[in-house]
C-alpha cells in the first residue's frame, strides 16, 4: 500500500524520481524512491515524514494507521479526465476517504451506505427517457416537485460521499468508486470542481447522480451524457413545478423573472432557458433571441451568482465529515490536534469551531 501511495502522490505532484529526491534534499536517492514505489523496500519513519512533506500529503495517507485498506479508485470511463487529472484526483480522493473512514471508525459507525432509489440500474431506450427517470427518482425519495434546497445534503443523506476539490477547467466533475478490502462494498464518490459556480456544481451533482442510476450499457457514450444532462435539468426543475411558475407557453421572457427563477431552482440561467425549451414553454427562436439579448453571455458567465467568488465552494458544501469530527471532539474521542489533522485546518480554528463565539462575560452582565 505504501508503494502505491508514494507513486500516486508523486504523479499528483508532477515530480520525476529525481525531482522528488531533490525536493527531499537528496536524503534518499531516486533509485531508492523507485524501490519504495515498486514495493522492493520500505522507507524508514524519518524518510516517510520527509516524503510526506515533499509530496504535500499526510503521513497517514502514505501509511494507513487504522488498518483500512483502500485498493484504488475506479473512474467512470466516460469522465473527461486525462491520466494526469486522475493521478491528482485519486490521491485527493483516497486521502480524504481515508480520513472519512477514520472518523467513522473512531465513532464506531458503519460507513454511510449508498441507498439507490432502485434495486438495479435503469435501462434507457432513448435520451428522452431520462425525463421520466428523474421523476421516478424524486418519487422514490419522496421529494415531491418542490425545488431542492441543498443537493449536497440530499446526496449525503442517501449515502453518497461528495468531495469538492479544484479540478482542471475542462472537468466539472465525475463519479468514482473507492474499492476497499474484500467483502466490503465499494464507496461511491461524486467529485465536483470547486472552481465552478454553485449553480453549475448543483447541475453537476444531479448529472453525476444520473450516472449512478442509469445502466451504462443502455446508450452510446455521447447519448448517455445527453441523457444525464436532461436528467439533471428535470431533477432540479421538475416540469410540473416549472409550468406552474411560468405558464405552459411563453412568447417573451424578462430579465428579472429569469433571475428570480434561477434563484428559486438554484440553477444556472443558461440551464433554466434550455429547460424551458425542453418542456415546450419557449421555442427555438425565442431561446435564440434570449441568448442574443437579455441572456447574452450566460453560456460562459453566470448572471448574479448565488455564491460570491471569494467564498467559492462554501455554500452547499459537504457537512457530514466535518460534523462527525466535531462530534468525536466534543465527546473526547479525539484530541484537538487529531481533529485538526482530520479536518486539515489550523488547531485554533478547530478550537473555535468547538467552543463557538466567546462572549465577554463582564460586558454581558453590565
Amino acid at each position: 500500500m505504501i508503494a502505491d501511495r508514494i507513486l500516486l502522490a508523486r504523479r499528483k505532484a508532477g515530480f520525476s524520481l529525481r525531482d522528488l529526491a531533490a525536493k527531499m534534499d537528496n536524503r534518499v536517492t531516486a533509485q531508492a524512491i523507485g524501490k519504495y514505489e515498486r514495493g522492493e523496500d520500505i522507507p524508514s519513519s524519518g524518510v516517510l515524514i520527509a516524503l510526506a512533506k515533499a509530496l504535500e500529503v499526510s503521513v497517514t495517507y502514505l501509511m494507513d494507521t487504522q488498518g483500512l485498506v483502500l485498493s484504488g479508485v475506479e473512474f467512470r470511463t466516460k469522465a473527461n479526465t486525462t491520466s494526469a487529472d486522475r493521478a491528482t484526483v485519486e490521491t485527493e480522493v483516497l486521502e480524504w476517504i481515508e480520513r472519512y473512514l477514520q472518523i467513522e471508525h473512531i465513532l464506531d459507525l458503519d460507513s454511510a451506505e449508498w441507498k439507490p432509489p432502485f434495486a438495479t440500474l435503469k435501462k434507457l431506450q432513448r435520451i428522452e427517457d431520462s425525463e421520466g427517470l428523474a421523476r421516478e427518482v424524486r418519487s422514490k425519495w419522496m421529494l415531491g416537485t418542490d425545488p431542492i434546497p441543498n443537493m449536497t445534503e440530499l446526496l449525503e443523506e442517501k449515502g453518497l460521499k461528495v468531495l469538492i476539490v479544484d479540478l482542471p477547467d475542462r472537468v466539472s466533475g465525475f463519479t468514482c468508486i473507492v474499492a476497499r478490502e474484500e467483502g466490503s462494498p465499494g464507496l461511491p464518490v461524486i467529485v465536483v470542481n470547486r472552481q465552478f459556480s454553485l449553480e453549475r456544481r448543483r447541475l453537476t451533482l444531479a448529472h453525476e447522480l444520473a450516472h449512478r442510476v442509469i445502466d451504462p450499457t443502455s446508450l452510446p457514450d455521447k447519448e448517455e451524457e445527453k441523457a444525464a444532462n436532461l436528467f439533471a435539468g428535470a431533477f432540479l426543475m421538475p416540469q410540473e413545478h416549472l409550468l406552474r411558475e411560468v405558464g405552459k407557453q411563453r412568447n417573451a421572457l424578462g430579465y428579472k423573472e429569469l433571475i428570480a427563477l434561477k434563484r428559486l431552482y438554484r440553477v444556472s440561467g443558461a440551464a433554466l432557458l434550455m429547460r424551458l425549451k425542453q418542456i415546450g414553454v419557449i421555442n427555438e427562436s425565442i431561446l435564440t433571441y434570449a441568448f442574443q439579448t437579455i441572456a447574452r453571455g450566460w453560456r460562459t458567465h453566470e448572471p448574479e451568482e448565488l455564491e460570491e467568488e471569494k467564498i467559492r465552494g462554501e455554500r452547499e458544501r459537504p457537512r457530514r465529515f466535518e460534523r462527525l469530527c466535531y462530534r468525536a471532539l466534543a465527546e473526547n474521542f479525539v484530541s484537538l490536534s487529531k481533529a485538526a489533522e482530520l479536518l486539515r485546518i489550523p488547531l485554533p480554528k478547530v478550537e473555535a469551531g468547538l467552543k463557538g463565539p466567546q462572549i465577554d462575560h463582564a460586558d454581558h452582565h453590565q
Side-chain angles (χ1 to χ4, degrees), residues 132-328:
L133 180 59
R135 193 178 296 113
E136 281 188 73
V137 173
R138 273 183 164 264
S139 176
K140 285 285 186 179
W141 284 349
M142 296 184 288
L143 298 175
T145 61
D146 288 341
I148 296 171
N150 191 320
M151 268 298 294
T152 305
E153 186 176 83
L154 171 65
L155 296 184
E156 284 197 313
E157 284 177 359
K158 300 303 179 183
L160 287 171
K161 287 180 165 53
V162 179
L163 175 61
I164 299 179
V165 295
D166 292 324
L167 295 173
D169 289 343
R170 65 183 173 278
V171 183
S172 58
F174 52 85
T175 62
C176 59
I177 299 292
V178 177
R180 295 190 284 175
E181 66 271 22
E182 189 175 348
S184 296
L187 297 171
V189 178
I190 295 181
V191 183
V192 182
N193 196 336
R194 182 189 286 117
Q195 299 180 61
F196 290 168
S197 67
L198 171 60
E199 293 90 333
R200 188 166 176 182
R201 294 200 309 272
R202 283 170 56 86
L203 284 161
T204 297
L205 287 171
H207 177 103
E208 297 303 335
L209 171 61
H211 286 298
R212 301 303 318 158
V213 297
I214 295 174
D215 187 327
T217 65
S218 298
L219 301 168
D221 292 357
K222 288 184 179 179
E223 289 189 11
E224 185 186 341
E225 287 302 303
K226 290 179 180 178
N229 284 335
L230 178 56
F231 175 96
F235 191 74
L236 292 173
M237 297 170 277
Q239 181 173 344
E240 305 92 315
H241 195 281
L242 191 51
L243 289 176
R244 287 200 302 270
E245 293 295 324
V246 299
K248 292 183 178 180
Q249 190 170 10
R250 296 287 295 273
N251 294 317
L253 296 164
Y255 177 85
K256 281 295 184 182
E257 180 187 11
L258 290 174
I259 293 298
L261 286 169
K262 66 156 271 183
R263 287 176 175 166
L264 174 64
Y265 295 105
R266 300 173 74 79
V267 296
S268 69
L272 171 64
L273 283 168
M274 294 300 296
R275 182 65 178 149
L276 292 174
K277 165 66 170 55
Q278 286 170 355
I279 63 175
V281 172
I282 60 175
N283 58 31
E284 186 67 38
S285 63
I286 294 174
L287 177 67
T288 301
Y289 181 74
F291 278 127
Q292 291 174 344
T293 55
I294 57 173
R296 188 178 183 85
W298 283 15
R299 285 190 174 99
T300 56
H301 181 73
E302 187 60 38
E304 301 193 27
E305 290 188 27
L306 297 172
E307 180 184 58
E308 295 178 29
E309 191 168 353
K310 65 182 179 182
I311 59 167
R312 183 79 78 210
E314 284 300 306
R315 291 187 177 174
E316 293 196 33
R317 65 184 175 87
R319 301 282 184 182
R320 183 175 182 268
F321 171 70
E322 179 183 64
R323 186 172 68 248
L324 293 180
C325 287
Y326 278 109
R327 171 184 164 184

Side-chain angles (χ1 to χ4, degrees), residues 125-139:
Q125 300 299 317
R126 55 199 183 107
I127 294 170
E128 292 74 17
D129 292 345
S130 59
E131 176 84 36
L133 180 59
R135 193 178 296 113
E136 281 188 73
V137 173
R138 273 183 164 264
S139 176

Side-chain angles (χ1 to χ4, degrees), residues 318-366:
R319 301 282 184 182
R320 183 175 182 268
F321 171 70
E322 179 183 64
R323 186 172 68 248
L324 293 180
C325 287
Y326 278 109
R327 171 184 164 184
L329 182 58
E331 296 188 44
N332 292 317
F333 289 134
V334 297
S335 64
L336 275 170
S337 59
K338 180 62 177 179
E341 177 191 327
L342 289 168
L343 291 165
R344 290 168 73 177
I345 59 177
L347 195 146
K349 191 171 182 179
V350 175
E351 189 170 17
L354 176 66
K355 295 180 178 179
Q358 298 301 294
I359 299 172
D360 188 323
H361 294 287
D363 291 341
H364 183 68
H365 288 296
Q366 286 181 358

